[in-house]
């Protein structure tokens, strides 16, 4: 218990929060790196996923990317990037590594979300004379929204974790508090840093869960619709043949409802 | 002379490095493998009863899945660091952290697999006089195997990748070499260890895939006809559960 108390003392000491390597600056760096990398990753992954999902091609690519993303250690990519000439360019190696690991969950989930939008509804919308972009924007995106957001949450978890690891490779962020603590054999500092990182990850996750609910284009309508859909007996039977992409079950992060 | 030149020149690919440090590489790989095996093995042992409890008492399903998800959200470096004051600097820190991470995937897939057993099959077995335990081990678990094995493969692959983070406290298998190489800017060491790590993950995935084929010969006939029926089915159900 002594370490925990010491860690608490470390956390509540004002001088640890200010200064160039204080918690304030490290937190700012962490949020900046996370935000920027997520923005870049979204800009890359989402258009590709929406387009592929819309035309219904490239399923294997989308799935394999996420499998590769799981097999490659983040630390290895950080290490390799740090040893390239890129390391002279400040945050760029870190940002590149973060983007690389944020793209797979975004791409896979968004692809599956669009692809698995109820085919009957899509057909009906096409029959009503909707154009491709209309179909995507008004039908497929609202229907695929939950999975797109699931991808965003997985990507955020991944990026926050990777940004922490970046500290080992000399990057900024809250991980620096942990590595600095290790280097100086200051266990309370290590624990305090780890605590901050864990809290940040959980808070970001919670913020995204709330944002997901507030921004849902079908807010309030989705559950009723799902409930009715599940009741129809033919629904389950149609499932296996309807879709070619088989996403490993673990790629579906749990919805907030399960909390 | 040319071969030893690549060490001095700090080149990315260096045969001389692999030759001269082969012992170090083998040691790191062995550590990597046993940390992974221990983590996934313990993870499986822990998640099995948890999944059964979550299935038996449905009220607990939400909390069990929710808690493991919260654990999964905590970055690995923070997880290991938080465990250090509890266990000291030892391999058990890394193994415990990795076990906690593997629970998320394993419990989820165990539940999905058990839920995918058709009610009629269960009824038939019960009608034949199967008791709870025999029903579970002789009927439900074999039918749940494809989903369970899919989860096991995913957990193993991500555990192999995450073991490297243990390098921060010296128990990361190949991660030790990556962390060390990063500090000393030793390119060949970082690249070789990274490549070995990915190879290890691919190898483990293939081995488990082979094991899955051996254990579930009946899915192959179905797969050739139905185009991965089983996995699609589980993915679907997984989504509905979520």
């Amino acid at each position: 218990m002594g370490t925990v108390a010491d860690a608490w003392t470390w956390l509540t000491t004002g001088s640890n929060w200010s200064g160039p390597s204080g918690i304030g600056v490290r937190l700012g760096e962490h949020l900046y790196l996370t935000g920027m990398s997520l923005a870049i990753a979204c800009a890359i992954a989402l258009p590709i996923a929406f387009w592929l999902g819309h035309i219904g091609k490239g399923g294997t690519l989308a799935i394999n990317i996420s499998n590769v993303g799981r097999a490659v250690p983040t630390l290895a990519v950080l290490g390799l990037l740090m040893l390239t000439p890129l390391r002279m360019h400040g945050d760029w190696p870190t940002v590149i590594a973060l983007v690389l690991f944020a793209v797979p969950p975004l791409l896979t989930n968004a692809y599956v979300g669009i692809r698995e939008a109820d085919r009957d509804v899509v057909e009906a919308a096409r029959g009503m004379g909707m154009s491709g972009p209309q179909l995507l924007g008004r039908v497929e995106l609202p229907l695929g929204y939950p999975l797109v957001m699931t991808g965003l949450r997985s990507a955020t978890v991944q990026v926050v974790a990777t940004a922490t690891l970046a500290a080992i490779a000399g990057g900024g962020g809250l991980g620096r508090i942990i590595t600095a603590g290790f280097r100086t054999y200051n266990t309370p500092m290590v624990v305090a840093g780890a605590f901050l990182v864990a809290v940040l990850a959980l808070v970001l996750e919670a913020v995204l869960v709330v944002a997901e609910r507030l921004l849902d284009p079908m807010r309030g309508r989705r559950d009723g619709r799902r409930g009715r859909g599940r009741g129809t007996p033919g629904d389950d039977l149609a499932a296996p043949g309807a879709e070619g992409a088989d996403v490993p079950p673990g790629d579906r992060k749990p919805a907030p409802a399960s909390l | 002379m040319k071969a030893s030149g690549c060490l001095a020149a700090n080149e990315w690919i260096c045969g001389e490095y692999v030759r001269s440090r082969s012992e170090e590489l083998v040691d790191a790989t062995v550590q990597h493998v046993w940390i992974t095996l221990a983590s996934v093995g313990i993870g499986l042992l822990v998640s099995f009863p948890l999944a059964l409890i979550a299935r038996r008492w449905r009220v607990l399903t939400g909390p069990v899945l929710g808690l493991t998800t919260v654990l999964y959200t905590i970055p690995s470096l923070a997880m290991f660091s938080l465990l250090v004051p509890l266990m000291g600097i030892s391999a058990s820190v890394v193994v415990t952290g990795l076990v906690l991470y593997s629970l998320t995937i394993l419990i989820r897939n165990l539940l999905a697999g058990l839920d995918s057993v058709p009610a009629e099959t269960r009824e038939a077995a019960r009608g034949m006089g199967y008791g709870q335990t025999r029903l579970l081990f002789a009927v439900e678990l074999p039918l749940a195997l494809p989903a369970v094995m899919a989860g096991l493969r995913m957990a193993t692959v991500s555990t192999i990748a995450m073991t490297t983070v243990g390098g921060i406290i010296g128990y990361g298998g190949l991660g030790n070499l990556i962390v060390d190489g990063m500090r000393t800017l030793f390119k060949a060491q970082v690249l070789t260890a990274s490549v070995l790590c990915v190879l290890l993950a691919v190898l483990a995935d293939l081995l488990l895939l082979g094991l899955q084929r051996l254990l579930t010969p009946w899915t192959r006939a179905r797969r050739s006809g139905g185009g991965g029926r089983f996995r699609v089915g589980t993915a679907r159900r997984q989504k509905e559960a979520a």
Side-chain angles (χ1 to χ4, degrees):
Chain A
M1 285 318 282
T3 320
V4 176
D6 289 346
W8 184 249
T9 315
W10 193 89
L11 271 178
T12 46
T13 306
S15 60
N16 288 330
W17 284 79
S18 51
S21 58
I23 299 171
V25 174
R26 293 301 182 208
L27 182 66
E29 283 172 353
H30 211 105
L31 287 174
Y32 164 75
L33 286 172
T34 307
M36 179 149 99
S37 314
L38 275 177
I40 297 176
C42 282
I44 296 172
L46 292 184
I48 297 177
F50 291 160
W51 180 65
L52 285 178
H54 179 67
I55 61 169
K57 284 188 182 136
T60 2
L61 174 83
I63 309 308
N64 283 334
I65 280 185
S66 105
N67 286 339
V68 170
R70 195 177 299 115
V72 177
T74 35
L75 195 61
V77 172
L78 280 167
L80 293 174
L81 281 170
M82 278 298 167
L83 296 184
T84 60
L86 269 174
R87 72 194 177 89
M88 304 302 174
H89 300 273
D91 287 334
W92 280 108
T94 312
V95 171
I96 292 172
L98 295 179
V99 170
L100 280 177
F101 283 99
V103 163
L106 279 171
L107 190 70
T108 310
N109 282 289
Y111 170 82
V112 176
I114 300 295
R115 189 74 200 103
E116 289 198 348
D118 193 335
R119 285 295 114 187
D120 292 342
V121 180
V122 174
E123 281 309 306
R126 195 171 282 144
M128 284 167 67
M130 280 196 185
S131 65
Q134 277 178 325
L135 201 63
L136 184 66
R138 294 201 198 161
V139 180
E140 290 171 328
L141 266 181
L143 285 176
Y145 173 82
L147 267 184
V148 176
M149 287 304 284
T150 303
L152 185 61
R153 277 195 291 137
S154 309
T156 311
V157 169
Q158 181 71 261
V159 164
V160 171
T162 313
T164 316
L165 282 182
I168 300 180
L174 287 173
R176 277 298 271 275
I177 298 175
I178 301 177
T179 49
F182 268 120
R183 209 163 295 146
T184 52
Y185 299 100
N186 185 348
T187 314
M189 187 174 171
V190 171
V191 174
F195 175 75
L196 287 171
V197 170
V199 168
L200 176 71
L202 293 173
V203 166
L204 280 180
E205 169 92 2
V207 166
L208 280 174
V209 167
V210 173
E212 179 179 345
R213 294 214 182 143
L214 291 180
L215 297 175
D216 192 340
M218 292 172 63
R219 185 145 59 117
R221 283 174 291 168
R222 207 178 290 278
D223 281 329
R225 200 172 277 240
R226 248 192 217 162
R228 242 178 293 142
R230 209 177 279 167
T232 37
D235 207 46
D236 251 4
L237 292 173
E243 158 61 50
D246 53 352
V247 178
D251 272 8
R252 322 270 188 174
K253 282 302 235 20
S258 61
L259 292 166
Chain B
M1 257 345 266
K2 188 172 163 277
S4 63
C6 71
L7 265 184
N10 197 12
E11 281 169 18
W12 284 105
I13 301 167
C14 184
E16 178 63 21
Y17 165 75
V18 179
R19 266 192 300 280
S20 61
R21 312 285 172 95
S22 62
E23 208 171 314
E24 198 177 276
L25 282 167
V26 169
D27 285 350
T29 312
V30 168
Q31 190 185 56
H32 208 107
V33 170
W34 79 251
I35 287 180
T36 306
L37 282 178
S39 309
V40 178
I42 298 174
L44 206 55
L45 286 179
V46 174
S47 56
F48 186 57
L50 279 176
L52 288 183
I53 290 172
R55 187 177 71 133
R56 177 73 182 77
W57 291 281
R58 281 292 170 184
V59 206
L60 293 177
T61 313
V64 167
L65 291 181
L67 185 69
T68 51
T69 310
V70 167
L71 288 174
Y72 197 77
T73 309
I74 297 172
S76 46
L77 184 61
M79 180 79 96
F80 293 156
S81 310
L82 284 173
L83 290 170
V84 165
L86 297 176
M87 316 181 138
I89 293 198
S90 64
S92 47
V93 166
V94 180
V95 172
T96 309
L98 294 172
V99 166
L100 291 176
Y101 284 129
S102 71
L103 292 183
T104 320
I105 302 173
L106 291 175
I107 294 182
R108 208 158 278 281
N109 280 49
L110 270 165
L111 274 178
L114 290 174
D115 284 348
S116 72
V117 177
E120 306 90 71
T121 314
R122 219 173 271 144
E123 285 299 307
R126 221 171 265 143
M128 286 168 70
Y130 277 47
Q132 282 289 342
T133 319
R134 198 163 158 222
L135 177 70
L136 177 67
F137 285 99
V139 178
E140 291 179 311
L141 271 185
L143 285 176
L145 260 183
V148 177
M149 289 300 291
L152 192 62
R153 281 170 61 197
M154 249 185 298
T156 308
V157 168
S158 52
T159 300
I160 290 176
M162 245 182 309
T163 301
T164 52
V165 180
I168 182 82
I169 58 166
Y171 290 94
L174 293 162
N176 297 342
L177 299 181
I178 297 179
V179 171
D180 182 60
M182 240 189 300
R183 278 192 195 125
T184 53
L185 305 181
F186 192 169
K187 289 178 181 171
Q189 181 165 314
V190 174
L191 184 69
T192 312
S194 304
V195 169
L196 278 176
C197 210
V198 175
L199 283 180
L200 214 54
V202 173
L203 188 69
D205 197 42
L206 288 177
L207 279 176
L208 285 171
L209 183 67
L211 183 68
Q212 181 182 349
R213 293 259 161 106
L214 275 178
L215 289 175
T216 59
W218 65 88
T219 54
R220 239 172 306 162
R222 215 176 281 192
R223 183 162 300 157
S224 57
R229 224 181 148 79
F230 237 102
R231 282 156 79 197
V232 175
T234 30
R236 280 265 165 179
R237 237 160 257 125
Q238 190 76 29
K239 195 179 68 181
E240 271 170 24

